Amino acid sequence: MEFLYSFFVVGHFTGIAAIVGPFLLQMRRNSDFAIGAVLGGAITQLVTGIALAGIAASQIEDYTKIFVKLGIALVVFIAALLGWLRSRKNGNTRAVKPFFHAAGGLALVNVVIAVFW
């Protein structure tokens, strides 16, 4: 079980890297955002986060932090999905920028919550 937990932790870290890496590198751009990578990272974060919470369910006393992080992760996923859909419709233009920034910024908020809560 410990191997499975570690496997999902590695996946979770990979997912956050796929969101935060492109966000930090492309924050000042006005087009050509790596929204596909952000969407893939958001999906990975959701799946591995739910799996990690399920594996550790017997050790969790208060689920408030889990639900807050899940809520933020869902908003990150929705923002990434809407940005990806808009990039497919309009090309990768300025229309993607608010979704890209919302997904990246909220992913950083989730990291801060994970560390300090």
Side-chain angles (χ1 to χ4, degrees):
M1 189 62 93
E2 187 175 326
F3 174 78
L4 187 62
Y5 185 81
S6 297
F7 177 79
F8 283 121
V9 167
V10 169
H12 205 61
F13 286 163
T14 303
I16 196 65
I19 299 171
V20 174
F23 172 67
L24 292 177
L25 288 173
Q26 299 177 337
M27 261 176 24
R28 298 185 61 172
R29 283 193 184 174
N30 288 320
S31 64
D32 298 328
F33 297 105
I35 196 71
V38 173
L39 178 60
I43 293 168
T44 304
Q45 284 281 281
L46 276 174
V47 171
T48 58
I50 291 169
L52 287 169
I55 291 171
S58 64
Q59 300 171 351
I60 299 173
E61 295 177 14
D62 184 13
Y63 283 91
T64 307
K65 177 181 176 180
I66 301 298
F67 287 129
V68 168
K69 288 181 56 56
L70 176 61
I72 293 171
L74 284 171
V75 174
V76 169
F77 168 71
I78 291 168
L81 179 63
L82 291 174
W84 181 76
L85 291 171
R86 188 168 283 187
S87 75
R88 289 190 59 196
K89 181 180 177 184
N90 301 335
N92 207 338
T93 63
R94 277 184 84 96
V96 175
K97 190 173 185 174
F99 299 107
F100 181 78
H101 283 275
L106 286 172
L108 284 174
V109 168
N110 237 358
V111 169
V112 170
I113 289 171
V115 171
F116 290 108
W117 186 347

